[in-house]
Amino acid sequence: MTHPRRRAAAEAIAAKDPRGRIRVVTDPDPSGPPTALRTADPSWSCVGPDATHHVVFQDDVLIADNFFPYAEKVAAAVPGEAVAFYEGWEGRNSGVVRLGALTGAQWAYAIDEHVPSLALMLPADAARGYRRFAAEHGGGWPYDVVIQRYLKALDIPVRIAVPSTVDHDDVPSIAGNSTHGWRRATFFTDRAPLFAEPDRTCPEFSVVPFYQYGESKCAVRQAEGWECLDTDRYLRRAGLLDRCEAGLAAADLPALPGTVCRQVWLTAFATGAVVAGLTDRDPEPAAVRAVFEALGPGGLCEEYTGAELVPMIPLVRDLALTAFAAGRAAHRATADAPRP
């Protein structure tokens, strides 16, 4: 899906499929207010008559090598699910990807937020039904929220690739999303796996720490839905806040604003505690480094420019690595202790 001004970029993406199956669909009203929602209708409706699945790419993507044979195998392995091949570092689901990477998962189910839709695959019948739903229920909502409500109405789960096999190319947004700042994947590989059979296992995390809009939060699954609360409140419930605060007080803090240091520490400490509760296995060092390098830009991309964020990345990463280790250790030390 593209705008006429970016048709050449979209055609270059389409040319990457060796079997030539990608159709370029342009905004039906290019002079209208910028919105992805308008182009989504024809993009989801042009499903081939014999297709089992339909993928929609936005026109500002970078696609991993081997993506298309990989996507075919994924479609065959999980025929009734939606698959997001990208999740940005600025969303709540960045925390889902981070937990997936740190626990060695290939996939993780999205939590209840907008659906990451930069590169999204749906079963063909679901793709065909999108236009009608959007016409009846889409008024006033952005595209990624409309499709989240649609998939929820169909009870279709959304699994996110870990790592992402599609990334966001850093070009100005025609749809008006540039106000959200620098946007990239939480964890990206430039070479999609060539497996004989993909692992269908897909964890559904019950606690997801994330860093967004400069604040550390935790999404906590409850019987009636997701609760979103400040991370220090979650850690107090878990009996870990005193250890978290003591670790922060003893840490050698980088040259960053105090609020940034505290919110990064809370997020990474809580992530370490959650990961320690899920697995005893040490995560892959490369994955640990990658997901915490994305933590600062994801949490601060609406407050700082990309140029301002670049020198902050290693400072945030190193602080987060210390906090992550402290959170793992704290969980292990208190795992058998009674909780209030």
Side-chain angles (χ1 to χ4, degrees):
M1 55 188 292
T2 191
H3 188 277
R5 280 186 284 166
R6 288 230 288 259
R7 186 177 182 96
E11 288 175 345
I13 293 166
K16 292 182 181 296
D17 178 16
R19 293 175 59 184
R21 292 165 291 186
I22 302 182
R23 174 179 172 184
V24 174
V25 177
T26 57
D27 187 338
D29 182 15
S31 62
T35 171
L37 185 64
R38 191 169 51 237
T39 315
D41 280 2
S43 298
W44 284 112
S45 299
C46 62
V47 186
D50 300 322
T52 63
H53 292 75
H54 191 62
V55 185
V56 171
F57 300 98
Q58 296 187 27
D59 64 8
D60 49 357
V61 296
L62 302 171
I63 299 176
D65 292 343
N66 306 322
F67 175 84
F68 293 98
Y70 156 81
E72 290 164 10
K73 290 185 179 296
V74 171
V78 290
E81 298 188 3
V83 179
F85 295 108
Y86 167 87
E87 166 53 35
W89 58 23
E90 78 284 359
R92 294 185 184 186
N93 279 307
S94 65
V96 170
V97 172
R98 192 166 289 112
L99 291 179
L102 295 170
T103 56
Q106 290 184 7
W107 306 97
Y109 281 121
I111 61 176
D112 226 0
E113 194 196 20
H114 64 267
V115 169
S117 52
L118 197 74
L120 183 66
M121 179 168 71
L122 299 185
D125 287 345
R128 294 184 181 102
Y130 169 81
R131 184 193 289 263
R132 179 175 178 179
F133 179 89
E136 295 176 356
H137 306 285
W141 293 98
Y143 164 51
D144 49 8
V145 175
V146 173
I147 205 156
Q148 188 267 345
R149 296 174 71 215
Y150 174 54
L151 296 176
K152 195 168 184 178
L154 294 179
D155 199 26
I156 292 178
V158 180
R159 65 170 56 209
I160 304 175
V162 182
S164 294
T165 48
V166 172
D167 203 355
H168 190 277
D169 196 1
D170 194 29
V171 295
S173 172
I174 287 178
N177 292 326
S178 292
T179 56
H180 298 304
W182 187 21
R183 294 167 296 155
R184 298 302 293 262
T186 304
F187 183 34
F188 172 67
T189 178
D190 59 6
R191 182 169 293 274
L194 287 176
F195 34 50
E197 183 73 20
D199 183 0
R200 294 178 175 86
T201 305
C202 190
E204 190 170 29
F205 301 116
S206 58
V207 178
V208 179
F210 63 93
Y211 185 36
Q212 187 181 43
Y213 308 131
E215 296 183 340
S216 179
K217 301 283 186 179
C218 283
V220 181
R221 187 186 301 277
Q222 306 288 4
E224 65 279 5
W226 286 93
E227 177 189 19
C228 184
L229 66 159
D230 292 341
T231 299
D232 51 3
R233 186 177 172 198
Y234 166 73
L235 290 171
R236 183 179 292 112
R237 287 184 188 178
L240 295 172
L241 183 59
D242 288 346
R243 287 176 180 265
C244 177
E245 298 284 15
L248 176 59
D252 183 13
L253 299 181
L256 293 167
T259 300
V260 171
C261 289
R262 176 173 175 78
Q263 298 303 312
V264 166
W265 183 275
L266 285 167
T267 308
F269 184 97
T271 300
V274 171
V275 168
L278 295 169
T279 180
D280 292 329
R281 188 178 72 176
D282 289 334
E284 290 291 330
V288 178
R289 183 181 180 90
V291 298
F292 285 120
E293 283 187 341
L295 184 66
L300 299 169
C301 61
E302 301 210 8
E303 184 177 352
Y304 294 87
T305 66
E308 291 169 331
L309 285 169
V310 167
M312 297 171 70
I313 289 173
L315 303 179
V316 169
R317 177 201 64 213
D318 291 348
L319 178 63
L321 291 174
T322 303
F324 175 67
R328 294 178 75 200
H331 179 276
R332 290 166 178 166
T334 61
D336 297 326
R339 296 162 75 180

